[in-house]
Amino acid sequence: MPITEPGARPTDIAAARLTIDLAAIAGNFRLIAKRAAPATVGVAVKADAYGLGMAQVASALHSAGARVFFVAWLEEGIALRHLLPEAEILCLNGVAPGAADAYATYRLTPVLGSLEEIDEWRAAGHGGKAPAGLQIDSGMARLGLSAEEVDQLVADRQRLDGLNLTLVMSHLACGDDPADPMNLAQRASFERDRGRLGLVSIRSSLAASGGSFLGPDFHVDLVRPGAALYGLTPLMGQANLMAQVVRLQAKILQVRRVDRGMTVGYGATHRTTRPSRLATLSTGYADGYFRSLSNRGHAYLGSVRLPVVGRVSMDLLTLDVTDAPPELARRGAWVDLIGPDHTVDDLAAEAGTIGYEILTAMGARYARHYLPVDGKAGTAA
């Protein structure tokens, strides 16, 4: 955890800081709500709100008008229930084995995804009482009723009788690619199975972040964005309409001059080709700045783009600051690892991954500073 001292905020003394713009998250929610209307917008705050802090983020989204929240694990749902006593909270990973009673106790809605879960939920005595959702697999082969299980339910419809179903859903495999024909195929499969099961009158959901931008045919009754709320691009190959939410900065610990031919970092994987100035920053793969960014990543000092040179270490990384003015590239200066000129998606592309992984890997050592919806800034360790 970031060190604190009496009278000092963590961001005052931190070696690295993560700024999270709650107003931008609220604005992204409103943008999606406007595009998806009249469908409801449920918000995904699983994985600690994609690594950004469920307590702060969920509260900001609730203030912006969100009333339906999605988590993955039972434990996440319990934590969120303490934060938002009246919210509708759905657990996407279904009923954890042997834990059916806990969902009812905390008024959480499990999204049932198999015949086993349906039977376990009914056996626990919650069939006609506590609400439940139902997921149908339309092409992901992950969670949700398989085609064989749908056939079994059609043949034995009584297995659903008495269940208090409040949502029937599926999940798009290629929702971030508008041109992929799988989107239409999955929508058709979902609609067909809903009809076969007699569930067309139940509130339904198909779209997550990408699907929320595929048009009304994919919105149905409820969309459930996650990544787009947090500033990630919802559709590949298209301009990002979402406001950026995070800024990751690290302080320069030292700047050194080196001659041409100097090697940098473990394994000597970088060798300077000119007399250079190198800046070392206090962040590394222990903080979620991936080792795959070695000799590939970039940062910004003002408007100057700075390459990562050498291997990223556990606690340190090195930048070539030769092209930055010396008065800017100095000990104690803040460098943007993620910022206005270098988004989460940009960093993810350099790391060979996706923005989801970048966000959820953000380390606990960063001093976290929240830019609020209401104008009252806050800092969290």
Side-chain angles (χ1 to χ4, degrees):
M1 302 296 287
I3 299 171
T4 59
E5 295 179 351
R9 300 197 320 251
T11 47
D12 293 330
I13 60 175
R17 66 187 179 193
L18 177 64
T19 302
I20 300 160
D21 190 339
L22 298 176
I25 295 175
N28 288 339
F29 167 79
R30 295 188 185 101
L31 185 153
I32 296 171
K34 182 176 180 179
R35 292 181 68 99
T40 300
V41 178
V43 294
V45 293
K46 59 184 180 174
D48 198 29
Y50 287 49
L52 301 184
M54 185 171 68
Q56 295 85 355
V57 170
S59 296
L61 286 167
H62 189 269
S63 296
R67 294 296 179 267
V68 181
F69 293 79
F70 288 91
V71 296
W73 291 9
L74 168 62
E75 295 91 334
E76 294 175 323
I78 293 171
L80 186 57
R81 174 58 68 212
H82 291 308
L83 292 168
L84 300 176
E86 302 305 320
E88 180 181 359
I89 302 172
L90 296 100
C91 298
L92 290 167
N93 284 14
V95 176
D101 288 345
Y103 295 85
T105 298
Y106 290 97
R107 294 178 292 116
L108 306 174
T109 303
V111 180
L112 309 176
S114 68
L115 293 180
E116 283 184 306
E117 287 184 52
I118 291 171
D119 293 343
E120 184 172 339
W121 188 245
R122 291 174 64 93
H126 303 309
K129 300 175 184 178
L134 184 68
Q135 182 166 184
I136 300 170
D137 177 24
S138 59
M140 285 280 281
R142 199 175 60 169
L143 295 179
L145 297 173
S146 67
E148 181 182 355
E149 288 179 311
V150 170
D151 289 341
Q152 291 181 51
L153 272 182
V154 170
D156 184 12
R157 181 64 175 74
Q158 290 184 341
R159 288 177 88 165
L160 289 179
D161 287 349
L163 286 184
N164 181 17
L165 291 179
T166 59
L167 178 74
V168 57
M169 62 167 279
S170 191
H171 192 64
L172 296 172
C174 304
D176 60 346
D177 184 0
D180 197 304
M182 192 170 179
N183 294 321
L184 294 175
Q186 284 193 262
R187 190 187 73 189
S189 174
F190 179 53
E191 294 299 334
R192 180 178 63 251
D193 287 341
R194 278 206 307 152
R196 293 178 66 209
L197 292 169
L199 300 177
V200 292
S201 63
I202 304 296
R203 181 180 55 165
S204 63
S205 178
L206 181 60
S209 284
S212 299
F213 290 83
L214 295 181
D217 288 343
F218 290 87
H219 295 161
V220 275
D221 300 312
L222 182 147
V223 298
R224 45 182 206 280
L229 295 171
Y230 309 120
L232 301 187
T233 304
L235 296 178
M236 65 169 61
Q238 297 192 17
N240 190 1
L241 301 177
M242 315 314 297
Q244 293 303 300
V245 168
V246 301
R247 186 173 190 176
L248 177 61
Q249 298 169 290
K251 279 180 183 174
I252 294 176
L253 298 179
Q254 69 171 236
V255 179
R256 66 175 59 205
R257 296 181 182 273
V258 298
D259 293 330
R260 179 176 179 236
M262 181 68 185
T263 60
V264 182
Y266 285 120
T269 60
H270 177 82
R271 187 180 298 272
T272 58
T273 59
R274 59 178 175 171
S276 303
R277 286 182 295 119
L278 305 178
T280 300
L281 279 60
S282 185
T283 193
Y285 58 74
D287 306 296
Y289 193 88
F290 297 153
R291 193 170 183 267
S292 61
L293 289 160
S294 301
N295 296 306
R296 294 178 59 183
H298 290 84
Y300 275 82
L301 184 58
S303 61
V304 181
R305 190 170 187 251
L306 308 173
V308 174
V309 291
R311 285 185 181 162
V312 175
S313 305
M314 181 182 292
D315 312 296
L316 302 167
L317 65 91
T318 304
L319 303 174
D320 186 332
V321 297
T322 308
D323 295 328
E327 63 272 18
L328 294 180
R330 54 179 173 74
R331 173 176 164 81
W334 288 106
V335 174
D336 281 319
L337 304 177
I338 298 171
D341 297 306
H342 197 231
T343 68
V344 176
D345 289 318
D346 293 334
L347 187 65
E350 293 173 346
T353 185
I354 56 176
Y356 299 67
E357 189 174 19
I358 296 291
L359 288 181
T360 55
M362 293 290 187
R365 292 192 293 188
Y366 294 136
R368 295 186 172 218
H369 182 62
Y370 289 88
L371 302 180
V373 176
D374 60 9
K376 297 178 182 177
T379 301

